[in-house]
Amino acid sequence: MRARLRWLHLILGGALLMPYWLVGTVIVAPVVGAQGMFTNSVALQFGAYGIALPIAAVSALFPLARPLSVAVAKALCGVPAERFAEGPARSRAARLRTSGWFTLHVGIGALISGATLALPPFAVTLILLPLSAGLRDWVMVPDYLDRPWALALSPFAGIAMLTALAACAAAAGALLARQAPVLLGPTPADRLEAAERRATELAERNRLARELHDSVGHALSAVTLQAGAARKVLDSDPEFVREALAAIEETTRRTVGELDSVLGLLRQDDDNNAARLTGPTLDTLDGLLARSGVPVSLTADGDLAAVPAPVSREAYRIVQEGLSNALRHAGASPVNLWIALCGEELEITMENPLPDRARVVRPGGGRGVRGIAERAALLGGRAQAGAQGAVWRLSARLPLGGGR
């Protein structure tokens, strides 16, 4: 089956050379004095062949020639798909390789195609000559072949021709299969581009994972704290319980919307997720502080609305994660928050008192501080968090140009 597909691939190569060969005959015919392009002149046939190959090589220098050649080679050469390059040939080396492959394909394919068209009828005739005197008269067999010993050997000659044609086709197909990964495989530039693309996709998915961690983690911490407080006063303060349940409902509804948005982006496999990924910014910070579950004292210095959107989104998530950490480890302890524009940087500082015994509202955490540092680093900034005396302090500095 594989040999037949490769033979078909060679015949396709011969068909692809035909337009170039016709151009070659127009050029060569006046030189050799041929009366037409379909004469029996060997000089015309091979002269046109010699002209056609360079023209074919030049035409294969266009970038789109590689994906077309790769598609055909994948289907017919029997070479694993992962050994081929993807996309148009951008670099000079890739275009030259593609040109070499196309020239090899159509050059060998034309020879095998010509032999496939010419040899089988002749070989079959040789095989049948001893069986039919009428056939010998019809094909006008020369006298030196119309002898008993020649007629006895003609079937073997016909079979040998067919066998030789099949062997040549198999060898040519194997040659193309060996050269396909070499000439159509990825160049160093292609490998670098693929690595960069994978790194970009991984970075984007990490960013989406941070979005999930921060938004869902904060919501779970707030809901857990509100549910625990409501449980303690269930019998003594029904009004507080109703308010807590309403806050839980609002938090979960909002978080489900954010979860659907992020999961929708994760299901899409393209390079535009970063451009479409939107989220809350510092303009909506008041709502976050109101439903955070802890008392927050905010001090803002500067026009926060002027902060670029990418930086503003990351700043919002850093504040959100800081509040989540306060909820997990310090319960409802008050938080002091400072946000200030300092030259070309946005500075964020959060402090909350450390309890005598740190509490954990949501077990299994521990990625929040690292996520904050990653967000800051992606913008070219820096962040750090840790205990300083009796308070837990989180500070981050984000360059305003980091979102460009």
Side-chain angles (χ1 to χ4, degrees), residues 128-146:
L128 297 178
L129 277 180
L131 306 178
S132 173
L135 178 63
R136 293 195 294 273
D137 294 335
W138 183 70
V139 298
M140 294 181 294
V141 176
D143 292 338
Y144 64 86
L145 289 180
D146 195 9

Side-chain angles (χ1 to χ4, degrees), residues 197 200-201 269-276:
R197 184 169 59 252
T200 300
E201 292 172 356
D269 187 18
D270 54 51
D271 298 329
N272 297 321
N273 285 348
R276 290 196 307 273

Side-chain angles (χ1 to χ4, degrees), residues 324-350:
S324 297
N325 285 337
L327 276 171
R328 291 189 201 107
H329 303 296
S333 299
V335 174
N336 294 319
L337 171 61
W338 295 272
I339 303 179
L341 285 171
C342 302
E344 294 299 317
E345 288 186 327
L346 179 69
E347 183 175 355
I348 302 172
T349 304
M350 300 180 67

Side-chain angles (χ1 to χ4, degrees), residues 50 69 91 100 112 164 191 199 316 319 349 362 380:
S69 297
S91 65
I112 297 297
R191 293 189 180 93
Y316 180 97
V319 172
T349 304
R362 184 172 62 88

Side-chain angles (χ1 to χ4, degrees), residues 9-376:
H9 185 239
L10 290 166
I11 293 175
L12 178 60
L16 290 174
L17 189 68
M18 281 300 297
Y20 306 103
W21 181 84
L22 292 174
V23 173
T25 59
V26 173
I27 297 173
V28 175
V31 178
V32 299
Q35 299 301 317
M37 64 177 61
F38 296 108
T39 64
N40 293 327
S41 171
V42 176
L44 174 63
Q45 304 297 327
F46 283 95
Y49 177 80
I51 294 293
L53 290 181
I55 300 176
V58 172
S59 69
L61 291 173
F62 290 96
L64 289 178
R66 186 170 72 176
L68 297 176
S69 297
V70 166
V72 176
K74 282 181 181 179
L76 301 177
C77 275
V79 179
E82 62 270 12
R83 301 186 65 184
F84 290 103
E86 297 181 358
R90 303 295 185 187
S91 65
R92 179 182 178 184
R95 291 196 295 269
L96 289 175
R97 288 186 182 186
T98 304
S99 176
W101 162 261
F102 186 73
T103 306
L104 182 66
H105 178 205
V106 299
I108 297 180
L111 298 177
I112 297 297
S113 298
T116 301
L117 291 174
L119 280 182
F122 183 65
V124 171
T125 300
L126 289 177
I127 294 172
L128 297 178
L129 277 180
L131 306 178
S132 173
L135 178 63
R136 293 195 294 273
D137 294 335
W138 183 70
V139 298
M140 294 181 294
V141 176
D143 292 338
Y144 64 86
L145 289 180
D146 195 9
R147 297 176 182 177
W149 65 268
L151 292 176
L153 293 177
S154 65
F156 298 101
I159 294 173
M161 288 181 182
L162 293 178
T163 303
L165 174 61
C168 289
L175 173 63
L176 289 182
R178 286 196 302 271
Q179 294 303 313
V182 176
L183 298 175
L184 295 178
T187 63
D190 293 324
R191 293 189 180 93
L192 178 60
E193 181 181 356
E196 291 176 346
R197 184 169 59 252
R198 287 193 296 268
T200 300
E201 292 172 356
L202 180 60
E204 182 55 31
R205 290 185 178 273
N206 286 339
R207 181 184 178 189
L208 294 174
R210 284 194 300 272
E211 292 291 327
L212 283 176
H213 173 270
D214 291 351
S215 61
V216 177
H218 174 78
L220 289 176
S221 297
V223 166
T224 302
L225 183 65
Q226 291 161 344
R231 178 178 56 81
K232 292 180 179 179
V233 296
L234 180 61
D235 297 325
S236 60
D237 194 350
E239 183 62 28
F240 178 83
V241 173
R242 281 193 291 270
E243 293 177 358
L245 291 176
I248 290 173
E249 180 183 5
E250 178 188 355
T251 300
T252 54
R253 183 183 296 113
R254 173 180 50 81
T255 304
V256 166
E258 293 184 8
L259 181 62
D260 288 341
S261 175
V262 175
L263 289 179
L265 292 177
L266 282 172
R267 294 189 185 101
Q268 297 176 3
D269 187 18
D270 54 51
D271 298 329
N272 297 321
N273 285 348
R276 290 196 307 273
L277 181 59
T278 60
T281 62
L282 292 177
D283 296 337
T284 60
L285 190 61
D286 291 341
L288 172 65
L289 301 183
R291 59 177 179 267
S292 64
V294 297
V296 182
S297 174
L298 171 63
T299 302
D301 185 9
D303 183 12
L304 300 185
V307 177
V311 179
S312 186
R313 285 195 295 268
E314 299 300 333
Y316 180 97
R317 293 303 189 189
I318 289 174
V319 172
Q320 184 182 56
E321 182 57 34
L323 294 174
S324 297
N325 285 337
L327 276 171
R328 291 189 201 107
H329 303 296
S333 299
V335 174
N336 294 319
L337 171 61
W338 295 272
I339 303 179
L341 285 171
C342 302
E344 294 299 317
E345 288 186 327
L346 179 69
E347 183 175 355
I348 302 172
T349 304
M350 300 180 67
E351 290 183 354
N352 61 273
L354 286 173
D356 295 336
R357 182 178 180 181
R359 55 179 293 183
V360 178
V361 176
R362 184 172 62 88
R367 299 181 181 272
V369 174
R370 186 173 66 182
I372 290 173
E374 290 175 353
R375 287 182 180 275

